[in-house]
Amino acid sequence: MNIELQGIGMTSQRTRARLIVRLSEMGIISEDVLSVIMNTPRHIFVDEALASRAYENTALPIGYNQTISQPYIVARMVEVLLAGGHLKNVLEIGTGCGYQTAILAQLADHIYSIERIDALLKKARQKLRLLKCKNVRVKYGDGNKGWSQYAPFDGIIVSAAPVGVPETLLNQLAINGRLVIPVGMVGQQQLLLITRTEDGFDEERLDMVSFVPMLEGIVG
Ligand code: SAH
């Protein structure tokens, strides 16, 4: 493997293994999720100056007032998303640096990801290319609108918090499809799992979380 991707010192396999131990101590049980996190180079998604902290279980700045999500949160959300069984097509809102997108790409058949900050999306595209994530399609746009061309989705995962669940995303969920989304104002957000049934939606309340807000419109 390319040395940049493999990592050395603070980005080495040994450092990553410590993160995996931490995630399992915190309750992540999916072997698939843990092994994909172990094998995905998080350090290439952050600035070089932060690379030595890439395998700490913390969110880190990625510019434009945004952050790469905490590994535990990525693991938790992806585990919840996958708990309903194999996923053919997944919609991700908030590509950010593309880290979670790369994780999803290894666990589901097709990933469609939307980001509203063009500069972030451009960088994410490069990283996803470097990692040869060929089953990912990204789009510059407002995630509140979903991506009707590829709907319905059997999984939707949202990485920024709206104040309420966007109706459009509910409509783009397949029957038995699962939507994992943080909802609420800063300081009082809750992670929700919403499952579409034959005649409506079931809602399960999960952890209290802290995400950047989901905003309207796009930033060029
Ligand atoms: N999973 C990403 C999280 C990035 S932070 C990562 O680990 O890098 C959340 C991202 O959601 C930010 O990049 C922000 O620009 C984006 N975002 C916020 N509102 C959005 C919207 N309406 N549509 C698309 N992306 C949005």
Side-chain angles (χ1 to χ4, degrees):
M1 200 207 270
N2 163 332
I3 188 78
E4 184 197 358
L5 302 183
Q6 199 177 346
I8 46 166
M10 289 307 282
T11 60
S12 66
Q13 298 294 313
R14 192 185 298 194
T15 312
R16 293 183 203 185
R18 279 199 289 269
L19 172 63
I20 301 308
V21 169
R22 180 87 190 103
L23 298 182
S24 39
E25 282 168 1
M26 290 178 80
I28 304 300
I29 53 175
S30 162
E31 291 293 333
D32 289 344
V33 171
L34 291 171
S35 105
V36 165
I37 291 181
M38 175 73 198
N39 294 312
T40 304
R42 189 169 184 255
H43 64 277
I44 69 160
F45 291 91
V46 296
D47 271 1
E48 237 168 285
L50 290 171
S52 65
R53 303 191 52 200
Y55 300 96
E56 290 177 13
N57 186 28
T58 50
L60 293 168
I62 53 172
Y64 312 92
N65 268 330
Q66 306 301 326
T67 53
I68 178 172
S69 306
Q70 181 196 18
Y72 170 74
I73 279 294
V74 172
R76 173 83 170 124
M77 289 177 79
V78 172
E79 185 173 75
V80 168
L81 194 74
L82 287 168
H86 182 78
L87 298 173
K88 290 193 290 291
N89 67 336
V90 172
L91 175 66
E92 179 190 49
I93 309 296
T95 319
C97 66
Y99 173 68
Q100 181 177 275
T101 322
I103 300 283
L104 288 166
Q106 299 168 74
L107 293 163
D109 295 348
H110 298 282
I111 314 299
Y112 301 91
S113 185
I114 307 176
E115 172 57 54
R116 69 185 284 278
I117 301 178
D118 199 27
L120 274 178
L121 190 63
K122 288 203 169 96
K123 283 191 176 175
R125 270 203 179 99
Q126 283 175 3
K127 308 296 178 192
L128 293 165
R129 210 173 297 136
L130 181 66
L131 295 182
K132 303 191 170 60
C133 297
K134 296 200 171 116
N135 56 342
V136 174
R137 218 167 259 225
V138 296
K139 171 165 105 162
Y140 168 48
D142 180 352
N144 286 292
K145 301 196 174 97
W147 200 335
S148 58
Q149 194 185 342
Y150 297 105
F153 298 97
D154 43 25
I156 302 181
I157 183 163
V158 184
S159 294
V163 174
V165 180
E167 189 90 23
T168 313
L169 297 185
L170 292 174
N171 292 333
Q172 293 187 10
L173 204 55
I175 306 284
N176 296 321
R178 295 157 78 83
L179 165 63
V180 182
I181 184 168
V183 173
M185 317 261 237
V186 174
Q188 48 187 46
Q189 298 165 359
Q190 186 153 34
L191 193 61
L192 303 181
L193 166 64
I194 296 173
T195 309
R196 187 165 199 168
T197 62
E198 294 284 350
D199 44 30
F201 297 91
D202 281 346
E203 182 182 300
E204 198 180 321
R205 291 172 168 264
L206 309 172
D207 331 17
M208 294 307 291
V209 288
S210 174
F211 277 83
V212 296
M214 179 151 161
L215 302 173
E216 301 275 334
I218 52 178
V219 184

mmCIF file of all heavy atoms in Angstrom, residues 62 66-69 92-100 114-117 120 141-144 159-160 212-215, ligand 1:
data_model
loop_
_atom_site.group_PDB
_atom_site.id
_atom_site.type_symbol
_atom_site.label_atom_id
_atom_site.label_comp_id
_atom_site.label_asym_id
_atom_site.label_seq_id
_atom_site.Cartn_x
_atom_site.Cartn_y
_atom_site.Cartn_z
ATOM 1 N N ILE A 62 -12.010 21.260 9.753
ATOM 2 C CA ILE A 62 -11.659 21.012 8.341
ATOM 3 C C ILE A 62 -11.804 22.307 7.526
ATOM 4 O O ILE A 62 -11.852 22.274 6.302
ATOM 5 C CB ILE A 62 -12.511 19.876 7.711
ATOM 6 C CG1 ILE A 62 -14.022 20.121 7.900
ATOM 7 C CG2 ILE A 62 -12.108 18.524 8.276
ATOM 8 C CD1 ILE A 62 -14.918 19.141 7.138
ATOM 9 N N GLN A 66 -16.369 24.143 9.678
ATOM 10 C CA GLN A 66 -16.939 22.787 9.747
ATOM 11 C C GLN A 66 -15.940 21.849 10.408
ATOM 12 O O GLN A 66 -14.770 22.200 10.573
ATOM 13 C CB GLN A 66 -17.289 22.288 8.344
ATOM 14 C CG GLN A 66 -18.196 23.222 7.569
ATOM 15 C CD GLN A 66 -19.519 23.483 8.276
ATOM 16 O OE1 GLN A 66 -20.064 22.608 8.941
ATOM 17 N NE2 GLN A 66 -20.012 24.708 8.158
ATOM 18 N N THR A 67 -16.412 20.663 10.778
ATOM 19 C CA THR A 67 -15.527 19.687 11.426
ATOM 20 C C THR A 67 -15.695 18.308 10.801
ATOM 21 O O THR A 67 -16.767 17.991 10.269
ATOM 22 C CB THR A 67 -15.853 19.546 12.939
ATOM 23 O OG1 THR A 67 -17.251 19.263 13.073
ATOM 24 C CG2 THR A 67 -15.510 20.794 13.713
ATOM 25 N N ILE A 68 -14.630 17.520 10.873
ATOM 26 C CA ILE A 68 -14.744 16.092 10.535
ATOM 27 C C ILE A 68 -15.364 15.463 11.782
ATOM 28 O O ILE A 68 -14.946 15.752 12.911
ATOM 29 C CB ILE A 68 -13.364 15.469 10.189
ATOM 30 C CG1 ILE A 68 -13.461 13.980 9.883
ATOM 31 C CG2 ILE A 68 -12.332 15.697 11.283
ATOM 32 C CD1 ILE A 68 -12.141 13.370 9.345
ATOM 33 N N SER A 69 -16.391 14.642 11.610
ATOM 34 C CA SER A 69 -17.107 14.089 12.766
ATOM 35 C C SER A 69 -16.192 13.218 13.619
ATOM 36 O O SER A 69 -15.228 12.620 13.126
ATOM 37 C CB SER A 69 -18.298 13.255 12.303
ATOM 38 O OG SER A 69 -19.130 14.005 11.451
ATOM 39 N N GLU A 92 -26.205 10.432 1.698
ATOM 40 C CA GLU A 92 -25.524 11.102 2.813
ATOM 41 C C GLU A 92 -25.658 12.614 2.624
ATOM 42 O O GLU A 92 -25.369 13.122 1.543
ATOM 43 C CB GLU A 92 -24.035 10.722 2.826
ATOM 44 C CG GLU A 92 -23.254 11.408 3.945
ATOM 45 C CD GLU A 92 -21.726 11.228 3.839
ATOM 46 O OE1 GLU A 92 -21.157 11.450 2.752
ATOM 47 O OE2 GLU A 92 -21.120 10.867 4.857
ATOM 48 N N ILE A 93 -26.072 13.302 3.666
ATOM 49 C CA ILE A 93 -26.154 14.770 3.601
ATOM 50 C C ILE A 93 -25.014 15.342 4.437
ATOM 51 O O ILE A 93 -24.896 15.019 5.626
ATOM 52 C CB ILE A 93 -27.506 15.300 4.158
ATOM 53 C CG1 ILE A 93 -28.705 14.584 3.528
ATOM 54 C CG2 ILE A 93 -27.587 16.818 3.976
ATOM 55 C CD1 ILE A 93 -28.886 14.779 2.068
ATOM 56 N N GLY A 94 -24.186 16.200 3.813
ATOM 57 C CA GLY A 94 -23.044 16.791 4.512
ATOM 58 C C GLY A 94 -21.789 15.970 4.292
ATOM 59 O O GLY A 94 -21.275 15.335 5.218
ATOM 60 N N THR A 95 -21.284 15.976 3.055
ATOM 61 C CA THR A 95 -20.076 15.208 2.707
ATOM 62 C C THR A 95 -18.896 15.667 3.556
ATOM 63 O O THR A 95 -18.071 14.843 3.966
ATOM 64 C CB THR A 95 -19.707 15.435 1.218
ATOM 65 O OG1 THR A 95 -20.885 15.427 0.431
ATOM 66 C CG2 THR A 95 -18.718 14.408 0.723
ATOM 67 N N GLY A 96 -18.806 16.983 3.801
ATOM 68 C CA GLY A 96 -17.674 17.531 4.559
ATOM 69 C C GLY A 96 -16.371 17.155 3.878
ATOM 70 O O GLY A 96 -16.208 17.350 2.680
ATOM 71 N N CYS A 97 -15.451 16.566 4.637
ATOM 72 C CA CYS A 97 -14.152 16.181 4.053
ATOM 73 C C CYS A 97 -14.236 14.846 3.327
ATOM 74 O O CYS A 97 -13.278 14.427 2.682
ATOM 75 C CB CYS A 97 -13.107 16.121 5.151
ATOM 76 S SG CYS A 97 -13.437 14.818 6.338
ATOM 77 N N GLY A 98 -15.343 14.136 3.472
ATOM 78 C CA GLY A 98 -15.516 12.871 2.743
ATOM 79 C C GLY A 98 -15.144 11.630 3.537
ATOM 80 O O GLY A 98 -15.227 10.514 3.018
ATOM 81 N N TYR A 99 -14.765 11.805 4.799
ATOM 82 C CA TYR A 99 -14.328 10.643 5.595
ATOM 83 C C TYR A 99 -15.450 9.611 5.782
ATOM 84 O O TYR A 99 -15.292 8.428 5.477
ATOM 85 C CB TYR A 99 -13.785 11.105 6.951
ATOM 86 C CG TYR A 99 -13.480 9.975 7.896
ATOM 87 C CD1 TYR A 99 -12.429 9.097 7.638
ATOM 88 C CD2 TYR A 99 -14.261 9.750 9.029
ATOM 89 C CE1 TYR A 99 -12.147 8.041 8.496
ATOM 90 C CE2 TYR A 99 -13.987 8.701 9.894
ATOM 91 C CZ TYR A 99 -12.937 7.853 9.621
ATOM 92 O OH TYR A 99 -12.675 6.798 10.468
ATOM 93 N N GLN A 100 -16.586 10.096 6.273
ATOM 94 C CA GLN A 100 -17.701 9.159 6.490
ATOM 95 C C GLN A 100 -18.178 8.560 5.169
ATOM 96 O O GLN A 100 -18.588 7.398 5.114
ATOM 97 C CB GLN A 100 -18.841 9.869 7.205
ATOM 98 C CG GLN A 100 -20.016 8.955 7.497
ATOM 99 C CD GLN A 100 -21.102 9.664 8.271
ATOM 100 O OE1 GLN A 100 -21.062 9.749 9.487
ATOM 101 N NE2 GLN A 100 -22.076 10.195 7.562
ATOM 102 N N ILE A 114 -24.241 14.689 -0.640
ATOM 103 C CA ILE A 114 -24.477 16.096 -0.996
ATOM 104 C C ILE A 114 -23.783 17.023 -0.001
ATOM 105 O O ILE A 114 -23.860 16.803 1.216
ATOM 106 C CB ILE A 114 -26.000 16.417 -0.989
ATOM 107 C CG1 ILE A 114 -26.761 15.422 -1.874
ATOM 108 C CG2 ILE A 114 -26.251 17.858 -1.451
ATOM 109 C CD1 ILE A 114 -28.272 15.608 -1.857
ATOM 110 N N GLU A 115 -23.114 18.049 -0.528
ATOM 111 C CA GLU A 115 -22.449 19.052 0.320
ATOM 112 C C GLU A 115 -22.773 20.443 -0.217
ATOM 113 O O GLU A 115 -22.764 20.668 -1.414
ATOM 114 C CB GLU A 115 -20.936 18.784 0.316
ATOM 115 C CG GLU A 115 -20.072 19.840 0.983
ATOM 116 C CD GLU A 115 -20.428 20.115 2.440
ATOM 117 O OE1 GLU A 115 -20.470 19.174 3.236
ATOM 118 O OE2 GLU A 115 -20.692 21.299 2.760
ATOM 119 N N ARG A 116 -23.014 21.381 0.706
ATOM 120 C CA ARG A 116 -23.390 22.736 0.275
ATOM 121 C C ARG A 116 -22.204 23.701 0.163
ATOM 122 O O ARG A 116 -22.379 24.830 -0.263
ATOM 123 C CB ARG A 116 -24.461 23.318 1.215
ATOM 124 C CG ARG A 116 -23.961 23.629 2.599
ATOM 125 C CD ARG A 116 -25.087 24.081 3.499
ATOM 126 N NE ARG A 116 -25.508 25.437 3.241
ATOM 127 C CZ ARG A 116 -24.904 26.528 3.720
ATOM 128 N NH1 ARG A 116 -23.796 26.411 4.434
ATOM 129 N NH2 ARG A 116 -25.381 27.711 3.470
ATOM 130 N N ILE A 117 -20.992 23.291 0.623
ATOM 131 C CA ILE A 117 -19.806 24.154 0.505
ATOM 132 C C ILE A 117 -18.922 23.580 -0.606
ATOM 133 O O ILE A 117 -18.305 22.515 -0.447
ATOM 134 C CB ILE A 117 -19.040 24.249 1.843
ATOM 135 C CG1 ILE A 117 -19.963 24.816 2.934
ATOM 136 C CG2 ILE A 117 -17.783 25.110 1.686
ATOM 137 C CD1 ILE A 117 -19.333 24.921 4.311
ATOM 138 N N LEU A 120 -15.196 22.520 0.016
ATOM 139 C CA LEU A 120 -15.050 21.270 0.772
ATOM 140 C C LEU A 120 -15.306 20.070 -0.134
ATOM 141 O O LEU A 120 -14.599 19.064 -0.091
ATOM 142 C CB LEU A 120 -16.054 21.230 1.932
ATOM 143 C CG LEU A 120 -15.653 21.881 3.253
ATOM 144 C CD1 LEU A 120 -16.794 21.776 4.248
ATOM 145 C CD2 LEU A 120 -14.401 21.205 3.806
ATOM 146 N N GLY A 141 -24.903 20.867 -3.535
ATOM 147 C CA GLY A 141 -26.302 21.277 -3.486
ATOM 148 C C GLY A 141 -26.787 21.379 -2.052
ATOM 149 O O GLY A 141 -26.019 21.193 -1.105
ATOM 150 N N ASP A 142 -28.055 21.645 -1.904
ATOM 151 C CA ASP A 142 -28.682 21.753 -0.590
ATOM 152 C C ASP A 142 -29.333 20.421 -0.236
ATOM 153 O O ASP A 142 -30.309 20.004 -0.875
ATOM 154 C CB ASP A 142 -29.721 22.885 -0.626
ATOM 155 C CG ASP A 142 -30.423 23.069 0.707
ATOM 156 O OD1 ASP A 142 -30.235 22.238 1.620
ATOM 157 O OD2 ASP A 142 -31.180 24.048 0.835
ATOM 158 N N GLY A 143 -28.781 19.782 0.780
ATOM 159 C CA GLY A 143 -29.266 18.467 1.192
ATOM 160 C C GLY A 143 -30.718 18.447 1.648
ATOM 161 O O GLY A 143 -31.343 17.378 1.665
ATOM 162 N N ASN A 144 -31.249 19.596 2.010
ATOM 163 C CA ASN A 144 -32.673 19.644 2.398
ATOM 164 C C ASN A 144 -33.570 19.147 1.278
ATOM 165 O O ASN A 144 -34.689 18.698 1.525
ATOM 166 C CB ASN A 144 -33.089 21.073 2.751
ATOM 167 C CG ASN A 144 -32.546 21.513 4.092
ATOM 168 O OD1 ASN A 144 -32.954 20.998 5.128
ATOM 169 N ND2 ASN A 144 -31.587 22.436 4.080
ATOM 170 N N SER A 159 -25.344 14.381 8.433
ATOM 171 C CA SER A 159 -24.198 14.753 9.279
ATOM 172 C C SER A 159 -24.240 16.191 9.774
ATOM 173 O O SER A 159 -23.230 16.706 10.247
ATOM 174 C CB SER A 159 -22.896 14.544 8.515
ATOM 175 O OG SER A 159 -22.709 13.194 8.271
ATOM 176 N N ALA A 160 -25.370 16.858 9.627
ATOM 177 C CA ALA A 160 -25.550 18.202 10.163
ATOM 178 C C ALA A 160 -26.960 18.208 10.742
ATOM 179 O O ALA A 160 -27.809 17.433 10.299
ATOM 180 C CB ALA A 160 -25.412 19.238 9.054
ATOM 181 N N VAL A 212 -22.797 20.317 13.748
ATOM 182 C CA VAL A 212 -22.955 21.662 13.184
ATOM 183 C C VAL A 212 -24.386 21.739 12.637
ATOM 184 O O VAL A 212 -24.982 20.718 12.294
ATOM 185 C CB VAL A 212 -21.925 21.952 12.056
ATOM 186 C CG1 VAL A 212 -20.509 21.946 12.607
ATOM 187 C CG2 VAL A 212 -22.057 20.978 10.903
ATOM 188 N N PRO A 213 -24.963 22.951 12.568
ATOM 189 C CA PRO A 213 -26.343 23.042 12.075
ATOM 190 C C PRO A 213 -26.466 22.729 10.588
ATOM 191 O O PRO A 213 -25.536 22.968 9.817
ATOM 192 C CB PRO A 213 -26.724 24.506 12.343
ATOM 193 C CG PRO A 213 -25.462 25.231 12.582
ATOM 194 C CD PRO A 213 -24.417 24.244 12.987
ATOM 195 N N MET A 214 -27.593 22.160 10.214
ATOM 196 C CA MET A 214 -27.886 21.958 8.792
ATOM 197 C C MET A 214 -28.476 23.274 8.293
ATOM 198 O O MET A 214 -29.469 23.763 8.837
ATOM 199 C CB MET A 214 -28.885 20.823 8.624
ATOM 200 C CG MET A 214 -29.263 20.565 7.180
ATOM 201 S SD MET A 214 -29.696 18.842 6.969
ATOM 202 C CE MET A 214 -30.616 18.899 5.452
ATOM 203 N N LEU A 215 -27.844 23.849 7.281
ATOM 204 C CA LEU A 215 -28.246 25.164 6.800
ATOM 205 C C LEU A 215 -28.977 25.045 5.467
ATOM 206 O O LEU A 215 -29.008 23.979 4.858
ATOM 207 C CB LEU A 215 -27.004 26.059 6.669
ATOM 208 C CG LEU A 215 -26.207 26.219 7.982
ATOM 209 C CD1 LEU A 215 -24.902 26.975 7.744
ATOM 210 C CD2 LEU A 215 -27.044 26.915 9.046
HETATM 211 N N1 SAH B 1 -19.279 13.579 7.828
HETATM 212 C C1 SAH B 1 -18.629 14.846 7.563
HETATM 213 C C2 SAH B 1 -19.244 15.881 8.455
HETATM 214 C C3 SAH B 1 -18.895 17.266 8.100
HETATM 215 S S1 SAH B 1 -19.690 18.489 9.098
HETATM 216 C C4 SAH B 1 -17.149 14.681 7.870
HETATM 217 O O1 SAH B 1 -16.832 13.830 8.686
HETATM 218 O O2 SAH B 1 -16.333 15.414 7.313
HETATM 219 C C5 SAH B 1 -21.251 18.643 8.328
HETATM 220 C C6 SAH B 1 -21.269 19.067 6.898
HETATM 221 O O3 SAH B 1 -22.628 19.291 6.544
HETATM 222 C C7 SAH B 1 -20.549 20.385 6.615
HETATM 223 O O4 SAH B 1 -19.563 20.167 5.630
HETATM 224 C C8 SAH B 1 -21.656 21.316 6.118
HETATM 225 O O5 SAH B 1 -21.240 22.207 5.114
HETATM 226 C C9 SAH B 1 -22.670 20.322 5.597
HETATM 227 N N2 SAH B 1 -24.034 20.831 5.485
HETATM 228 C C10 SAH B 1 -24.727 21.615 6.343
HETATM 229 N N3 SAH B 1 -25.967 21.886 5.863
HETATM 230 C C11 SAH B 1 -26.049 21.248 4.662
HETATM 231 C C12 SAH B 1 -27.057 21.159 3.664
HETATM 232 N N4 SAH B 1 -28.239 21.765 3.773
HETATM 233 N N5 SAH B 1 -26.801 20.429 2.559
HETATM 234 C C13 SAH B 1 -25.606 19.791 2.396
HETATM 235 N N6 SAH B 1 -24.615 19.840 3.306
HETATM 236 C C14 SAH B 1 -24.828 20.565 4.422
#
